[in-house]
Amino acid sequence: MAIVLNGKKLREKILADLKIKISKFEQKPKLVVILVGNDPASKIYVNNKQKCAQKIGIISEVIKYPSDIEEHTLISKIHELNNDPTVTAILVQLPLPKHISQTKIVETIAPEKDVDGFTPYNFGKLFSGEKPYVYPCTPKGVLLLLDEYKIELEGKHAVVIGRSNIVGHPMSQMLLNRNATVTVCHSHTKNLEQITKTADIIISAVGKNIIKGEMLKSGCVVIDVGIFKDESGKLRGDVDFDSSSKIASYISPVPGGVGPMTITSLMLNTVELFENNL
Ligand code: NAP
């Protein structure tokens, strides 16, 4: 049976260390989250981020706007936050309403306050193999989890399923930067099973239940980034845990695997941005 990669436990360990570190700062880091509209999932995510920040001594402010806010108002606010020396980190909760250009909004955030690592500057640095101000939270969290369990990446065949700018795409580059041999799969990939069977490490970020035990090579490492609710409303991941945990050597569960690591990375990134200005 596979060893279960415990994201909750690692989160508690990292956050406890961060809390001690932050308590020694004379001034405290400040994370500002912008939330537009009433999407229930976004509200929960933002609430969790705020609670976590406050628990470890990060000042957290949430700026809420109605869903019909005009793009230029949001842009002016981001400029104001960019120029405010008390603000360490800015996060705009995605997705945004359709009439607002997500690209334009993300591009407005100053790279040195871009806590998600999504601005063109930080993405460009990542994809040229250089160090961005910070790395995107979910892929960073995946690497923290793999490193905690001392899972070797160099020379390993890593298969990333999904190529979004939030997870799959930066994940593939971060694995490449760690000298893994990376294959990226997506909705047009043919014979997914043939590819997953050659993987030493599988990172699935799709949002559908697509991985089953019979698709895996014996002893591989399986990281499940996906989160969605099935027909009965139960929280699920991309991976069929029961069949996969019989074949894999390590596996991350949903919930309790990558999810807690994403929020942990957000806290780490806020502190990293703060330390850049010390
Ligand atoms: P997304 O933007 O919808 O991307 C999904 C990706 O999956 C796309 O690249 C898509 O391919 C690919 N895909 C769809 N069907 C496929 C199939 N049958 N075979 C192979 N690839 C397929 O989603 P996302 O934002 O990256 O998020 C992915 C999942 O991770 C979601 O469940 C999300 O909730 C979860 N998530 C979890 C965390 C966390 O902290 N645990 C953080 C972020 C996201 P195309 O590009 O060809 O369309």
Side-chain angles (χ1 to χ4, degrees), residues 212-233:
K212 292 185 176 46
E214 68 247 31
M215 297 167 71
L216 307 176
K217 179 169 92 172
S218 175
C220 70
V221 176
V222 181
I223 303 289
D224 192 351
V225 180
I227 318 173
F228 62 96
K229 280 188 180 161
D230 67 13
E231 311 81 55
S232 65

Side-chain angles (χ1 to χ4, degrees), residues 16-270:
D17 290 346
L18 262 188
K19 190 174 177 178
I20 294 169
K21 187 181 219 181
I22 293 166
S23 71
K24 292 179 184 156
F25 295 149
E26 216 167 281
Q27 276 164 345
K28 305 301 173 196
K30 180 173 175 180
L31 168 66
V32 177
V33 179
I34 297 179
L35 173 64
V36 181
N38 283 312
D39 177 53
S42 292
K43 276 185 177 170
I44 294 172
Y45 292 144
V46 168
N47 193 27
N48 288 344
K49 287 167 187 173
Q50 191 175 30
K51 275 207 289 208
C52 185
Q54 286 168 347
K55 218 169 94 182
I56 61 168
I58 290 174
I59 301 167
S60 156
E61 187 187 341
V62 178
I63 302 174
K64 291 180 183 161
Y65 288 112
S67 54
D68 61 354
I69 186 186
E70 290 197 50
E71 190 178 88
H72 69 84
T73 314
L74 205 51
I75 289 177
S76 305
K77 187 68 200 180
I78 295 170
H79 280 305
E80 189 189 311
L81 297 170
N82 284 343
N83 293 318
D84 181 343
T86 68
V87 173
T88 310
I90 304 167
L91 184 154
V92 178
Q93 184 66 41
L94 302 176
L96 290 168
K98 292 224 159 31
H99 69 281
I100 298 174
S101 158
Q102 210 152 282
T103 310
K104 242 191 200 170
I105 296 301
V106 170
E107 278 177 7
T108 307
I109 301 170
E112 65 276 14
K113 296 192 179 187
D114 166 27
V115 72
D116 267 330
F118 289 162
T119 56
Y121 176 90
N122 284 321
F123 239 55
K125 283 282 182 189
L126 169 61
F127 282 89
S128 53
E130 291 172 40
K131 201 183 168 313
Y133 280 103
V134 291
Y135 292 92
C137 295
T138 301
K140 174 177 175 144
V142 169
L143 291 186
L144 285 169
L145 201 53
L146 290 169
D147 288 344
E148 173 70 9
Y149 286 83
K150 305 201 168 16
I151 294 165
E152 189 61 55
L153 300 174
E154 192 164 317
K156 294 290 162 67
H157 182 206
V159 171
V160 178
I161 313 173
R163 55 173 169 177
S164 72
N165 281 336
I166 294 174
V167 192
H169 201 190
M171 185 79 253
S172 62
Q173 186 62 38
M174 286 163 77
L175 288 162
L176 205 54
N177 292 353
R178 294 279 298 265
N179 296 324
T181 302
V182 183
T183 303
V184 182
C185 301
H186 45 76
S187 67
H188 301 264
T189 298
K190 294 197 169 69
N191 300 322
L192 183 64
E193 184 170 343
Q194 257 177 32
I195 299 169
T196 56
K197 277 213 151 137
T198 68
D200 301 308
I201 301 165
I202 294 180
I203 298 175
S204 186
V206 173
K208 292 178 198 161
N209 194 233
I210 53 161
I211 301 292
K212 292 185 176 46
E214 68 247 31
M215 297 167 71
L216 307 176
K217 179 169 92 172
S218 175
C220 70
V221 176
V222 181
I223 303 289
D224 192 351
V225 180
I227 318 173
F228 62 96
K229 280 188 180 161
D230 67 13
E231 311 81 55
S232 65
K234 192 171 174 263
L235 214 58
R236 298 285 303 271
D238 292 356
V239 177
D240 178 58
F241 188 88
D242 289 345
S243 60
S244 301
S245 58
K246 290 186 184 116
I247 311 290
S249 56
Y250 293 89
I251 188 166
S252 76
V254 175
V258 175
M261 297 315 300
T262 296
I263 200 156
T264 303
S265 300
L266 179 67
M267 300 303 126
L268 283 167
N269 281 356
T270 303

